[in-house]
Amino acid sequence: MTDLDAFRSDTRAWLEANCPPEMRQSMRGEKDLCWGGRNWTFQSDAQRQWLEVMAERGWTVPDWPKDYGGGGLSAEETRVLKQEMARIGARPPLTSFGISMLGPALLKFGTEEQKKHYLPQIARGEIRWCQGYSEPGAGSDLAGLQTKAEDKGDHWLVNGQKVWTSYADKADWIFCLVRTSTESKHQGISFVLFDMATPGVSTKPILLISGSSPFCETFFDDVKVPKDQVVGEVNRGWDVAKYLLGHEREMIAGMGLGGTDGTLGSLLKPDDPFLRAEVAAFDVDALAFAAMSERFFEMFKAGEAHPASPSMMKYAGTELNKRRHELVMAAGGSDALEWDSERSSEGKAARDWLRTKANSIEGGTSEIQLNIVAKHILGLPGA
Ligand SMILES: Cc1cc2nc3c(=O)[nH]c(=O)nc-3n(C[C@H](O)[C@H](O)[C@H](O)COP(=O)(O)OP(=O)(O)OC[C@H]3O[C@@H](n4cnc5c(N)ncnc54)[C@H](O)[C@@H]3O)c2cc1C
């Protein structure tokens, strides 16, 4: 038996003994995610228990170093863990922007003190993070951001506004881009972390077409940020921001995998032959995407992926996810448009479909991803 075989059988036995049966049921949507954080209310004892045992083992972030709350697993062991979790239908114990976005940036750019302080809290789900990048005048042109941080000796004084800040009203801390110099557009930005409970921070939820308010306008009015809460060098936050965006796009690309519920054909079984053909074509593309993702995720984690490949995968994954939901709606006919009934689980299909419309905007729009691919992968003249 190889070491990896032994790891697989130990992992299988441990998961069997420790993953509560309730955490093996397929997720009914957003409400079954566990986000953690200071104000988190667990949905059930099983959800709490699952987070605790996984965090204890470092398996909320299996490939992070043990010193920072991770599991210290190799890429192969991490893959085995994922496969064994998928085998029993185990839910992710924790969903967090700390894990998918901030953590990788801290591992690369953080000081040792910052890593020791923030990463274990992220791994244990103690702090919920939000992302303060976009502003009313800076989305695709993110480096045009105006939120300013003035040097006040022992702290930065932050004033300005962010927008589309996902879960800002529920987050404990924010990772935020601020302007610390006006001398250069890109080299005048710093990457700072601060507590959302700091005086001067306020949020206002924005209502979406799907009926929910997952994101906010976020206002900073004379917010004092201690100097040691800058990640990377002052005025060099753009490097941190771009690196984090690669990880955000990697995470969003995963939407193209469409969960663990099998092929769309096996779920929908449409009678209409034209729709059946479209569903079959979708399933073929989804399989191709899954195969490509496997290679991409591994190369990305190993630092071997082309720097623009997260843009390519984000584009492909989100367009695929939008197509999947279009087909679900087409197969459901007018029934799928039900909004409030118990029969439709409060309009789950329609609300999920509307939510996917944002997939090709969040994390950078499809047009911007295509520009990046055109320029950096295809070598076409600058966009
Ligand atoms: C669901 C959701 C969650 C989000 N969460 C967060 C968050 O947590 N934190 C955060 O900071 N931001 C968040 N965002 C904001 C997101 O990053 C921005 O919406 C996105 O970057 C686009 O910026 P914008 O909305 O200002 O659009 P604009 O930049 O104004 O773009 C408008 C249109 O013009 C096109 N366009 C712009 N420039 C070009 C160009 N050079 N070439 C071709 N076309 C172009 C765009 O593709 C788009 O179609 C979220 C957005 C959504 C939808």
Side-chain angles (χ1 to χ4, degrees):
M1 192 190 257
T2 66
D3 287 352
L4 206 56
D5 289 337
F7 177 76
R8 185 184 293 280
S9 68
D10 289 351
T11 300
R12 187 172 291 189
W14 187 86
L15 287 173
E16 216 38 83
N18 287 283
C19 181
E22 205 183 296
M23 293 296 106
R24 303 182 193 191
Q25 288 163 12
S26 65
M27 299 218 289
R28 293 156 296 175
E30 173 87 3
K31 63 181 179 185
D32 284 332
L33 294 176
C34 175
W35 285 92
R38 292 198 289 243
N39 303 313
W40 181 251
T41 309
F42 286 96
Q43 283 236 317
S44 61
D45 286 345
Q47 194 185 56
R48 176 198 297 277
Q49 190 191 333
W50 184 221
L51 173 59
E52 281 174 2
V53 290
M54 286 293 273
E56 176 68 31
R57 224 172 155 80
W59 281 5
T60 52
V61 280
D63 54 352
W64 287 10
K66 283 191 171 172
D67 280 356
Y68 307 136
L73 301 189
S74 66
E76 292 75 23
E77 289 168 336
T78 303
R79 184 165 1 100
V80 167
L81 172 61
K82 276 195 189 144
Q83 288 166 348
E84 290 303 313
M85 285 176 68
R87 199 183 66 84
I88 59 166
R91 293 180 185 176
L94 181 63
T95 302
S96 123
F97 295 159
I99 292 179
S100 52
M101 294 196 246
L102 178 62
L106 279 173
L107 281 166
K108 186 166 169 75
F109 294 96
T111 61
E112 193 53 29
E113 288 75 32
Q114 288 171 336
K115 290 184 204 175
K116 285 248 160 70
H117 180 72
Y118 294 110
L119 292 172
Q121 292 180 354
I122 292 173
R124 292 193 298 264
E126 290 168 357
I127 299 288
R128 183 168 179 178
W129 291 86
C130 64
Q131 176 188 37
Y133 274 33
S134 309
E135 297 184 1
S140 301
D141 182 20
L142 183 59
L145 63 93
Q146 297 295 326
T147 292
K148 72 170 181 213
E150 287 170 86
D151 189 342
K152 294 288 179 184
D154 64 340
H155 65 270
W156 297 99
L157 194 66
V158 177
N159 280 286
Q161 187 199 334
K162 298 289 170 179
V163 72
W164 319 125
T165 327
S166 297
Y167 308 114
D169 52 341
K170 300 187 174 61
D172 305 309
W173 276 62
I174 187 166
F175 47 92
C176 190
L177 297 179
V178 292
R179 181 152 298 287
T180 37
S181 164
T182 48
E183 274 171 33
S184 155
K185 186 174 177 183
H186 291 88
Q187 302 205 337
I189 293 172
S190 299
F191 188 105
V192 294
L193 311 175
F194 52 93
D195 194 321
M196 292 292 278
T198 314
V201 179
S202 59
T203 60
K204 195 167 151 208
I206 302 168
L207 188 65
L208 289 194
I209 193 173
S210 62
S212 60
S213 288
F215 53 26
C216 299
E217 291 177 279
T218 306
F219 302 93
F220 308 127
D221 185 12
D222 281 347
V223 178
K224 286 184 179 176
V225 177
K227 281 281 174 76
D228 62 357
Q229 289 171 202
V230 173
V231 179
E233 282 179 53
V234 173
N235 290 330
R236 294 290 182 277
W238 188 243
D239 296 338
V240 187
K242 275 194 305 180
Y243 183 78
L244 184 146
L245 270 178
H247 285 269
E248 179 177 11
R249 289 172 184 160
E250 179 219 6
M251 167 192 67
I252 297 175
M255 285 175 185
L257 298 172
T260 52
D261 292 333
T263 62
L264 198 55
S266 65
L267 282 179
L268 299 182
K269 301 187 180 72
D271 293 332
D272 178 275
F274 292 105
L275 192 52
R276 262 210 318 273
E278 277 189 58
V279 170
F282 171 87
D283 275 333
V284 171
D285 289 348
L287 277 174
F289 179 79
M292 193 154 167
S293 296
E294 207 166 307
R295 195 178 59 164
F296 161 69
F297 290 134
E298 279 192 16
M299 289 178 73
F300 188 69
K301 285 267 177 301
E304 290 163 6
H306 187 292
S309 58
S311 293
M312 184 175 74
M313 298 304 290
K314 196 255 167 187
Y315 172 76
T318 53
E319 294 299 327
L320 199 62
N321 198 38
K322 282 166 62 178
R323 216 170 116 202
R324 160 182 269 269
H325 285 266
E326 286 291 340
L327 289 167
V328 169
M329 293 306 283
S334 54
D335 283 357
L337 290 169
E338 276 190 39
W339 196 244
D340 282 324
S341 64
E342 207 173 301
R343 182 173 84 132
S344 68
S345 304
E346 275 72 50
K348 185 173 182 316
R351 289 173 199 268
D352 286 353
W353 166 64
L354 289 172
R355 175 63 183 81
T356 64
K357 300 296 171 198
N359 293 167
S360 43
I361 302 173
E362 58 199 309
T365 67
S366 278
E367 290 78 15
I368 296 299
Q369 306 320 304
L370 289 174
N371 281 350
I372 293 172
V373 170
K375 189 170 170 187
H376 297 287
I377 296 185
L378 302 177
L380 297 173

